[in-house]
Amino acid sequence: MGRWGVALGPAVIKQLHERIVQIARDQQVMAGRRMRVDTTVVEANIHYPTDSSLLGDGVRVLTRPCGR
């Protein structure tokens, strides 16, 4: 579902969730009063900040308005 959220956007995911809950209510599978979300931890490479990377990030952020 996480990849779907990125690909489809939050509005579509919200509509999808509402439709799934409505179908479950209609078929009396569940009451639909509460929702429990389970999150999964995914291992990722950590970008440790160095002086040069912090400087580069700062320059990149500060030059954005100049490009507009």
Side-chain angles (χ1 to χ4, degrees):
M1 292 294 279
R3 291 181 187 165
W4 292 2
V6 173
L8 300 175
V12 175
I13 295 299
K14 182 178 179 183
Q15 291 174 349
L16 180 64
H17 283 198
E18 289 173 355
R19 181 66 180 135
I20 290 170
V21 170
Q22 187 61 45
I23 290 170
R25 281 183 175 173
D26 292 344
Q27 297 184 4
Q28 298 179 348
V29 174
M30 58 182 265
R33 291 185 303 261
R34 295 184 186 138
M35 183 172 100
R36 188 178 99 183
V37 178
D38 182 23
T39 59
T40 304
V41 177
V42 178
E43 184 177 347
N45 294 329
I46 298 174
H47 168 70
Y48 292 101
T50 60
D51 290 344
S52 60
S53 68
L54 290 173
L55 178 62
D57 291 344
V59 169
R60 183 174 37 85
V61 170
L62 292 173
T63 56
R64 277 185 202 155
C66 297
R68 295 179 190 163

